[in-house]
Amino acid sequence: MWVYEKKLQYPVRVSKCDPRMAKFLIEQYGGADGELAAALRYLNQRYTIPDKVIGLLNDIGTEEFAHLEMIATMVYKLTKDATVSEMEAAGLGAHYANHDHALYYENAGGVPWTATYIQAKGDPLADLYEDIAAEEKARATYQWLIDLTDDVDLQDSLKFLREREIIHSIRFREAVEIIKEDRATKKIF
């Protein structure tokens, strides 16, 4: 079903060790509007969406896993050389106590990921509007993350991710129109 290339969708570079920024980025790893929630939401919703847009949910859901991999790489690179005291100073003391430098699906506040972050109503329009909102929230979060760092290398990767959220939102809006047109079509049985 998938082909895995041993490279990231977009290069991830960081200029320095920065556990403070890693703490903020964890929001997109295991937060409510993060990449894991998005991937699982879309790949789950595809089972009750009309055939005309199944491929869209499959494609975007799969791409969200690529984004999750990018976020994990950013967090890893930002913390791999951090000392225990640097982790603690960045607000990651509890994370370190529980997980050392390992990644864990949690938000920036340390709250573990939960399935309550994802929605599946079964109504195609309701689900697609939920997806549009999710993409717009992720776009906003990426902008705020860009604003929180002066690392131009990291900003570059974050800008890529922000732009992909915009594209996903546009594609979901197109899917809404496809569903609306299909519903308006007179059906003869």
Side-chain angles (χ1 to χ4, degrees):
M1 183 165 166
W2 290 297
V3 175
Y4 179 68
E5 292 183 38
K6 293 186 178 188
K7 66 178 188 172
L8 296 173
Q9 183 183 16
Y10 188 85
V12 168
R13 296 178 307 278
V14 300
S15 299
K16 61 188 175 195
C17 175
D18 188 352
R20 178 194 66 89
M21 191 62 201
K23 178 179 173 43
F24 300 146
L25 282 169
I26 286 288
E27 185 65 32
Q28 288 302 88
Y29 193 67
D33 303 318
E35 302 296 350
L36 178 63
L40 295 176
R41 176 186 299 113
Y42 308 150
L43 292 175
N44 185 59
Q45 289 174 353
R46 70 187 170 165
Y47 292 101
T48 55
I49 203 87
D51 290 344
K52 291 182 177 184
V53 294
I54 286 174
L56 175 67
L57 285 160
N58 191 63
D59 291 349
I60 294 176
T62 302
E63 184 177 346
E64 299 294 359
F65 279 124
H67 297 173
L68 185 69
E69 186 178 30
M70 288 177 64
I71 294 295
T73 301
M74 289 176 205
V75 171
Y76 169 76
K77 287 183 174 188
L78 289 167
T79 60
K80 70 181 177 80
D81 295 324
T83 65
V84 174
S85 60
E86 289 172 326
M87 295 284 281
E88 191 173 16
L92 290 170
H95 178 92
Y96 181 82
N98 286 315
H99 311 289
D100 192 347
H101 283 77
L103 285 121
Y104 183 73
Y105 294 110
E106 61 189 3
N107 68 15
V111 177
W113 186 90
T114 172
T116 59
Y117 290 163
I118 62 174
Q119 297 296 320
K121 191 67 176 169
D123 177 271
L125 291 178
D127 284 344
L128 287 168
Y129 282 122
E130 168 71 26
D131 300 344
I132 292 165
E135 293 296 326
E136 292 299 333
K137 290 185 279 186
R139 175 202 47 80
T141 302
Y142 279 121
Q143 184 57 57
W144 299 328
L145 289 167
I146 291 165
D147 295 343
L148 284 167
T149 185
D150 61 358
D151 184 334
V152 295
D153 288 331
L154 183 59
Q155 285 176 339
D156 178 57
S157 298
L158 292 171
K159 287 176 182 176
F160 170 82
L161 291 169
R162 181 193 61 199
E163 295 306 309
R164 293 307 300 160
E165 303 300 346
I166 293 168
I167 296 300
H168 294 168
S169 179
I170 291 168
R171 299 288 315 278
F172 284 135
R173 290 169 201 271
E174 293 168 354
V176 163
E177 295 308 312
I178 290 168
I179 300 297
K180 285 181 178 179
E181 287 174 20
D182 190 53
R183 285 186 175 180
T185 304
K186 192 170 193 171
K187 306 235 185 325
I188 300 173
F189 298 97

